[in-house]
Amino acid sequence: MSECIFCSIASGEMSSEILYQDARYIVIKDVNPVSPFHVLIIPKEHIESMNELTDFGVISEMMSIAVRIVRENGYAEEGYRLVLNTGQEGGQSVLHLHLHLLKILSHFLAFINLGSHTDYFAFYLHQHAQNSSSYTIYNTSNPSIFPLP
Ligand code: 5GP
Ligand code: ZN
C-alpha cells in the first residue's frame, strides 16, 4: 500500500466513493464533508503541492473537471467554491495536490458562553427534503475551507 492516501485511492488499493475518473484524474467524495456536496479533484500522478507543480495545465484540467461536475449536478447558478490549500500554513493536510469543490452555503454561527470567554463554531443545517423535519448538521468550522470572521 502506498504511503500516500490519494495515491492509494487513485491506484484502487484503498476504496473511496468515486464520482468520476479518467486516465489522469479521479474525483472522490470527501470522507469528512463540510457541506452537503464536497468532492476532491485529484491528479493520479503524485504531485505534493502547488510548490512542486511544473505543468500548470494540471490546474486548468482540474478546474475544467470541477466546472463540468458542477454543471452536471445543476449547481452552477446557485454557486460553489473551489479551494486549493498549500502547505502547513495553507491548511493542506494531505500532501498530494487536490482541489476541493464545495457547493456554496450560508453557515450559521453558534456562540457558546464558556464562563471566562465566549467561543463560537460555524455550522450548516441541511434539510433532507422540503418540509422534512430531518436535518444533518455539518460542522463548517474548518478554517482552511471556511474562513471565519
Ligand atoms: P486538505 O486539508 O489537505 O486541503 O484536504 C484534505 C481532504 O482530504 C480533507 O478534507 C479530508 O477530509 C480528506 N481526506 C483525508 N483522508 C481521506 C480519505 O481517506 N478518503 C477521502 N475520500 N477523503 C479524505
Ligand atoms: Zn500521492
Side-chain angles (χ1 to χ4, degrees):
M1 172 97 61
S2 166
E3 277 178 29
C4 169
I5 298 171
F6 291 168
C7 281
S8 300
I9 288 174
S11 69
E13 284 174 89
M14 198 172 143
S15 69
S16 69
E17 223 174 306
I18 301 170
L19 261 76
Y20 165 84
Q21 70 173 315
D22 59 29
R24 300 183 60 207
Y25 298 91
I26 185 163
V27 181
I28 59 169
K29 284 196 177 178
D30 196 295
V31 78
N32 187 21
V34 297
S35 75
F37 189 78
H38 183 177
V39 302
L40 304 169
I41 295 104
I42 306 169
K44 289 184 173 176
E45 181 191 348
H46 182 87
I47 303 163
E48 192 167 305
S49 77
M50 287 295 287
N51 295 336
E52 284 70 33
L53 195 60
T54 50
D55 173 11
F56 284 85
V58 168
I59 299 300
S60 159
E61 285 170 352
M62 288 162 84
M63 290 283 181
S64 117
I65 291 169
V67 173
R68 203 172 65 226
I69 289 171
V70 163
R71 288 177 180 154
E72 281 169 7
N73 285 278
Y75 294 153
E77 293 305 314
E78 291 165 45
Y80 52 93
R81 290 184 63 143
L82 294 167
V83 178
L84 205 159
N85 297 323
T86 303
Q88 197 181 2
E89 295 201 5
Q92 185 179 8
S93 61
V94 176
L95 297 181
H96 179 133
L97 189 72
H98 55 281
L99 178 68
H100 294 260
L101 163 58
L102 305 117
K103 187 177 181 311
I104 206 160
L105 40 87
S106 49
H107 57 250
F108 304 97
L109 289 180
F111 291 87
I112 320 150
N113 188 345
L114 296 170
S116 57
H117 68 288
T118 302
D119 211 340
Y120 61 86
F121 67 93
F123 66 97
Y124 170 73
L125 271 184
H126 175 64
Q127 191 175 21
H128 290 173
Q130 225 178 356
N131 300 323
S132 162
S133 57
S134 176
Y135 291 85
T136 300
I137 299 175
Y138 288 91
N139 177 0
T140 56
S141 296
N142 182 344
S144 72
I145 297 173
F146 288 96
L148 293 175

